[in-house]
Amino acid sequence: TSGGTALNLSGITIGAAGLNFSSVSTTSATTGISLANVASSGGGAIALGTVSLQGITSRGVDVTGTQGAALSFNGLDIGLNDNAAVAFDLNGSTINAAITANDSDVT
């Protein structure tokens, strides 16, 4: 992705089986991952695996609205490319499920 959002999971409902990625990566996106008003049906969770978001100019991971599905990262590496960029933004969100990262780095 060059500009824009690399992965937009906004307004979705995660089924009981969950949503699983082995990895997510982008270079030079405005926003790496966007989640807004994500629901869970039957306890489904989002597993994003190893995540590498490099050259981010606005938000690495942006969670807004209600986060109703558990969210996990095996590894989360965010490289910011703007002095005003934010690595992990939870501003204005309601978190109703766990958010975990086994390893995280921000540069």
Side-chain angles (χ1 to χ4, degrees), residues 1-105:
T1 299
S2 181
T5 300
L7 179 62
N8 185 348
L9 299 177
S10 299
I12 64 172
T13 299
I14 305 300
L19 180 62
N20 302 293
F21 291 83
S22 60
S23 65
V24 176
S25 63
T26 187
T27 302
S28 301
T30 303
T31 299
I33 299 170
S34 177
L35 300 107
N37 297 313
V38 175
S40 175
S41 173
I46 302 168
L48 295 179
T50 302
V51 176
S52 177
L53 310 172
Q54 302 305 310
I56 299 298
T57 58
S58 180
R59 304 280 185 268
V61 177
D62 189 19
V63 180
T64 58
T66 301
Q67 179 65 28
L71 174 64
S72 67
F73 304 90
N74 187 37
L76 177 60
D77 184 10
I78 302 172
L80 303 176
N81 195 26
D82 188 289
N83 289 337
V86 176
F88 203 100
D89 192 357
L90 300 173
N91 190 28
S93 61
T94 301
I95 308 299
N96 292 331
I99 296 177
T100 58
N102 290 339
D103 179 46
S104 62
D105 299 293

